[in-house]
Amino acid sequence: MTGAAVKGDPGAGATGVGSAGWVDALARKRRPGPSRGGHADAAPRRALHAATQAVHAGTFDDPATGAVGTPIYQTSTFILGEEQYRAVEEGYARDRFIYSRYGNPSQWAVQEKLAALEGAESALVFASGMAAISATALALLDKGAHIVASDELYGGTYNLFHHELPSLGFTVSYVSPRDPAAIQAALRPNTMLLYFEAMTNPLLKVVDIAAIAELARAHGARLVIDATFVTPLGCRPLELGADMVVHSCTKYLNGHSDLVAGVALGSRKLTDMVWPRLLAFGGCLDPHACFLLERGLKTLAVRMRAHQEGALAVARFLSTHPRVRQTLYPGLPSHPDYDLAQRTLRNTGGMVSFNVASDAQAIALLQRLQLMREATSLGGVETLVSLPFNTSHAAFTAEQRARLGIAPGCIRLSVGIEDPADLIADLDAALAALPDA
Ligand SMILES: *Cc1c(COP(=O)(O)O)cnc(C)c1O
């Protein structure tokens, strides 16, 4: 704890928007942080590339021993001194260590790394992607507000929007993320939030974030993008005009299928509005999970290269196979959003969807795969395979799935970082062993 940082450089008046005279009296300047000053701060002041930031941003060496890398601060609480009392009293508790639901050095380190990768001023980590999404949505909505959301949402988000938020008095309209006219038409005077996913599941539609951001700005509403499927290495929605970005860090960001976490990113001002909801709803991330997430993030750039390379090879193989009716991968020219993907994504990711003749054939195929693991979730080093009809979209009827464009026999692959030749051999053998439809 450096007392020297206090004078003239305090953080924000976290929750105290317009509430106390001291805010103006002290002429506080918001720090983007909070930060412990990672390796990237010590590096020359030129913009570092994403792969370098993935390794160094936020990460700091142990000041006590010189151990390389961020220590795990496995503590619930911190010694209180005059400085901590003042931080609470004056409203900048977010910038001091007081209690680990409020903040912890392990959280700060990984938040700074995530913020650097996303090009965000500030970040807050959460115990899950859903904790990040619910806290963010509730922070940006006033009583009675209306939301315009994608009609192709992650199931957990759909449940939040369809069941939880209406019970709190919010209303939600669902529109196609590909139809700007429908989005415009859905806006109401009380629309405060537009919520879309950068790439949809399982059809991997690419969303034109800049176009939607323009609609939001013109209406005075805020745009939140769930960028879980694309990662900051695919695109950075804040640069395209989004107000906040959320991720399930459970997926690519951690990348090893060994923790559940989430993050919300944006300006310091907006994350200061989310922070009180993190405190109130309690979805803080444990220091050990922060360590795992920070470690996972260090390899994000090399993993995403491998995911993209593997997914492209697998998609090319599937697209020529006689038993495969359709293959969807945004990096394949046959994908309806290929041009938009080329224009807006630096990495088209590791998700591939394809259709065989029927759901029965899809089940038969999964039973014949030897290497690929049958599991829900995505973004880990190992290839996972699942069927939307009995996982993510099990709550829908066959007709509803068809209306969304999910054909019978749809299979979703999260292509890992294995050698693509082994993945193709696994698929090839399983497809060859399929009974006739
Ligand atoms: C998994 C996922 C979530 C939810 O994240 P959790 O970490 O499981 O809470 C939200 N959005 C998308 C797009 C996801 O894939």
Side-chain angles (χ1 to χ4, degrees):
M1 191 87 42
T2 50
V6 182
K7 275 258 148 52
D9 184 32
T15 59
V17 184
S19 60
W22 61 262
V23 179
D24 305 321
L26 293 177
R28 292 179 182 283
K29 216 172 160 304
R30 289 172 194 278
R31 287 196 314 176
S35 166
R36 293 273 296 177
H39 298 163
D41 283 1
R45 287 250 156 247
R46 57 173 180 265
L48 297 171
H49 295 89
T52 311
Q53 292 194 319
V55 176
H56 292 292
T59 293
F60 61 92
D61 305 330
D62 179 10
T65 65
V68 172
T70 314
I72 305 169
Y73 289 87
Q74 196 72 44
T75 183
S76 60
T77 193
F78 301 85
I79 305 285
L80 291 174
E82 194 194 328
E83 169 50 29
Q84 285 72 31
Y85 288 120
R86 189 159 23 144
V88 173
E89 194 179 320
E90 297 188 353
Y92 56 96
R94 196 186 152 195
D95 292 311
R96 296 293 179 270
F97 301 123
I98 291 162
Y99 182 64
S100 283
R101 178 156 44 81
Y102 288 52
N104 174 295
S106 297
Q107 293 164 359
W108 286 17
V110 72
Q111 283 171 177
E112 201 178 348
K113 194 183 288 297
L114 287 159
L117 287 166
E118 195 69 62
E121 198 178 20
S122 192
L124 288 169
V125 287
F126 288 83
S128 69
M130 285 314 303
I133 292 164
S134 51
T136 300
L138 286 163
L140 300 180
L141 296 170
D142 289 346
K143 195 173 172 184
H146 173 250
I147 304 163
V148 173
S150 169
D151 62 5
E152 290 179 46
L153 287 175
Y154 172 74
T157 308
Y158 179 74
N159 286 337
L160 173 72
F161 283 15
H162 199 65
H163 299 294
E164 302 300 330
L165 294 187
S167 79
L168 297 172
F170 302 110
T171 48
V172 190
S173 302
Y174 300 96
V175 292
S176 164
R178 273 211 192 112
D179 189 347
I183 296 171
Q184 174 73 47
L187 295 171
R188 300 179 190 169
N190 62 335
T191 304
M192 292 189 74
L193 175 64
L194 281 73
Y195 187 97
F196 290 86
E197 295 174 3
M199 189 186 285
T200 69
N201 172 39
L203 300 174
L204 312 175
K205 290 181 189 168
V206 181
V207 169
D208 190 344
I209 296 168
I212 300 177
E214 240 176 75
L215 296 175
R217 198 176 315 110
H219 194 73
R222 293 209 168 96
L223 172 63
V224 174
I225 295 289
D226 179 338
T228 301
F229 273 45
V230 297
T231 84
L233 286 139
C235 88
R236 308 212 298 184
L238 298 174
E239 288 169 0
L240 299 171
D243 295 285
M244 291 198 77
V245 177
V246 291
H247 290 274
S248 168
C249 304
T250 313
K251 318 293 169 52
Y252 287 109
L253 296 183
N254 179 59
H256 293 73
S257 307
D258 54 9
L259 66 77
V260 174
V263 66
L265 308 110
S267 65
R268 176 69 197 246
K269 187 175 163 206
L270 289 182
T271 57
D272 275 351
M273 287 163 63
V274 177
W275 187 67
R277 278 75 193 185
L278 165 59
L279 302 196
F281 303 126
C284 56
L285 190 61
D286 175 79
H288 191 262
C290 292
F291 157 73
L292 285 172
L293 177 56
E294 196 200 324
R295 190 175 74 157
L297 278 164
K298 288 177 185 175
T299 56
L300 181 65
V302 283
R303 283 189 286 108
M304 290 315 296
R305 274 203 295 277
H307 284 299
Q308 175 175 251
E309 187 188 312
L312 189 58
V314 165
R316 281 193 180 127
F317 162 77
L318 289 169
S319 65
T320 59
H321 197 284
R323 289 205 131 132
V324 174
R325 307 222 157 159
Q326 190 192 18
T327 304
L328 286 172
Y329 179 63
L332 271 192
S334 57
H335 191 284
D337 296 332
Y338 176 76
D339 289 337
L340 182 61
Q342 291 295 304
R343 213 158 16 90
T344 60
L345 298 181
R346 284 183 295 270
N347 182 306
T348 41
M351 301 304 294
V352 177
S353 293
F354 65 103
N355 301 333
V356 290
S358 64
D359 287 334
Q361 281 243 322
I363 291 170
L365 183 79
L366 262 53
Q367 287 165 346
R368 286 161 177 76
L369 290 166
Q370 307 270 308
L371 191 59
M372 299 184 176
R373 317 316 297 163
E374 185 176 337
T376 188
S377 197
L378 62 121
V381 292
E382 64 287 294
T383 296
L384 298 181
V385 57
S386 63
L387 307 179
F389 99 88
N390 64 11
T391 56
S392 59
H393 292 72
F396 294 83
T397 64
E399 291 73 41
Q400 285 174 319
R401 283 193 296 270
R403 208 168 330 121
L404 283 172
I406 304 169
C410 179
I411 298 170
R412 188 187 84 171
L413 286 179
S414 169
V415 177
I417 64 166
E418 303 97 330
D419 193 308
D422 293 326
L423 300 176
I424 288 169
D426 196 29
L427 284 166
D428 198 24
L431 284 163
L434 273 188
D436 287 331

